[in-house]
Amino acid sequence: MELLFKFIGVLSLYLLQFSSASLVSTGDFNKDFFVSWSPSHVNTSADGRARTLKLDKESGAGFASKDMYLFGQIDMPIKLVPGHSAGTVLGFYLLSDQPNRDEIDFEFLGNVSGQPYIIQTNVYADGFDDREERIYLWFDPTKDFHTYSVHWNLHQIVFMVDSIPIRTYRNHADKGVAYPRWQPMSIKMSLWNGDSWATRGGKDKIDWSKGPFIASFRDYKIDACVWNGNARFCRGDSTTNWWNKERFTSLNPAQRKWFKWVRKYHVIYDYCQDHQRFQNNLPKECSLPKY
């Protein structure tokens, strides 16, 4: 009987840890995030539901999640820097804290007035990157909030804009392609001066007379597995780990149509088509299925 009680206790602890692995965020920036860079350039509403970052000659700014996560979905509504934003870079990314880093990046590259914003995405896996893609957005992201999402599970990473998949990165680890699957990552936001490279390869510099430059955030959602030191809780199939369900192993038919539309009309750079850069030896994943 004593052994039975011990077993039940261990099982209960296991189930408790397993079920608490998933978190639906509070939506309060003050509770889920901490200011990681230049508090004087971060402004948060009284209720914690909205936040802005400011870039000026003095500094940029940033904030990061208090928890780390292994798989899940993060939705971040953002209104990008309006007007003449050339040289500015807003980063929304997931980052591990290990030397062989994993990273999943959205980077929003500002432009001169009247020219479209560029989204650059990138994936680091086991410390290696060189996987940049760029798209033009099909709307003005400075007029209103739009939701930028990362869906990350054992099978694929999906970058989305207003639920439209703009890029996938599949788990082809069985074929020798590195994939972020073991290291937890924190969520980070930063607004900074990238005018050495961001706009037309650094030709368009920041015009400080147009500043300060403000990016706005609100109503985010984090539904992800909170890292507790044991990967099996996040990798397992459960009601809380909904992102690991079979229907999320690939894009569904509707998503595939949108994905093809983005690829056909809005992609302006794809590392998998840059034969010169890779000297006609493209990375292995470039010849493997995207969904």
Side-chain angles (χ1 to χ4, degrees):
M1 184 65 70
E2 184 179 353
L3 287 175
L4 177 61
F5 281 128
K6 285 183 178 180
F7 173 77
I8 292 173
V10 171
L11 179 62
S12 299
L13 178 60
Y14 174 84
L15 292 174
L16 177 63
Q17 287 178 303
F18 196 93
S19 63
S20 66
S22 180
L23 168 74
V24 176
S25 62
T26 64
D28 185 337
F29 284 98
N30 291 324
K31 290 183 178 179
D32 293 330
F33 294 91
F34 67 94
V35 176
S36 56
W37 177 25
S38 192
S40 64
H41 286 57
V42 181
N43 185 44
T44 308
S45 63
D47 62 1
R49 313 296 292 187
R51 174 167 284 180
T52 61
L53 294 180
K54 179 174 72 173
L55 168 67
D56 57 21
K57 275 188 174 182
E58 178 187 341
S59 180
F63 58 91
S65 62
K66 294 178 181 178
D67 287 312
M68 301 188 79
Y69 307 93
L70 183 64
F71 307 133
Q73 182 163 318
I74 297 93
D75 303 315
M76 184 65 70
I78 304 171
K79 184 160 64 173
L80 296 179
V81 174
H84 189 103
S85 56
T88 68
V89 178
L90 177 67
F92 162 38
Y93 55 106
L94 280 65
L95 178 66
S96 69
D97 61 358
Q98 301 300 315
N100 56 329
R101 69 172 170 168
D102 290 339
E103 188 171 335
I104 302 170
D105 290 345
F106 271 105
E107 288 181 309
F108 304 92
L109 311 183
N111 217 327
V112 296
S113 296
Q115 296 299 311
Y117 250 86
I118 292 173
I119 289 183
Q120 176 170 287
T121 57
N122 198 2
V123 175
Y124 286 73
D126 294 335
F128 296 97
D129 64 337
D130 292 337
R131 297 184 177 96
E132 300 94 342
E133 292 187 5
R134 291 186 175 190
I135 70 165
Y136 278 139
L137 288 170
W138 50 92
F139 54 84
D140 184 344
T142 71
K143 298 296 186 184
D144 203 352
F145 286 87
H146 292 267
T147 301
Y148 305 90
S149 306
V150 172
H151 183 103
W152 171 37
N153 62 30
L154 273 169
H155 310 284
Q156 61 178 350
I157 298 166
V158 184
F159 297 81
M160 293 178 284
V161 177
D162 293 333
S163 299
I164 293 175
I166 64 168
R167 178 181 181 176
T168 62
Y169 185 81
R170 290 198 61 76
N171 184 351
H172 292 298
D174 60 333
K175 298 178 177 66
V177 178
Y179 184 84
R181 55 193 172 130
W182 294 106
Q183 299 186 76
M185 294 193 259
S186 58
I187 305 164
K188 296 181 181 290
M189 303 293 310
S190 61
L191 179 60
W192 51 285
N193 177 359
D195 70 4
S196 63
W197 65 275
T199 309
R200 292 202 309 137
K203 293 179 180 178
D204 293 319
K205 304 297 185 182
I206 290 182
D207 182 350
W208 295 110
S209 70
K210 307 292 186 183
F213 304 97
I214 306 291
S216 305
F217 314 85
R218 71 178 189 193
D219 301 329
Y220 67 88
K221 181 180 179 182
I222 304 168
D223 196 351
C225 186
V226 180
W227 178 250
N228 62 8
N230 193 328
R232 76 174 183 270
F233 297 123
C234 299
R235 296 168 65 89
D237 185 6
S238 73
T239 54
T240 53
N241 293 356
W242 58 267
W243 48 84
N244 285 336
K245 297 294 185 182
E246 184 176 354
R247 66 181 181 275
F248 298 110
T249 59
S250 185
L251 300 182
N252 63 41
Q255 287 178 316
R256 294 181 187 189
K257 290 181 180 179
W258 280 115
F259 180 74
K260 290 176 181 177
W261 174 77
V262 171
R263 309 303 293 179
K264 182 175 182 179
Y265 294 108
H266 296 282
V267 172
I268 58 173
Y269 177 80
D270 180 354
Y271 75 106
C272 280
Q273 297 178 5
D274 196 340
H275 292 275
Q276 181 178 356
R277 177 183 180 182
F278 293 101
Q279 300 179 337
N280 292 317
N281 186 26
L282 294 174
K284 186 180 292 186
E285 68 268 17
C286 294
S287 61
L288 297 172
K290 291 187 179 295
Y291 53 78

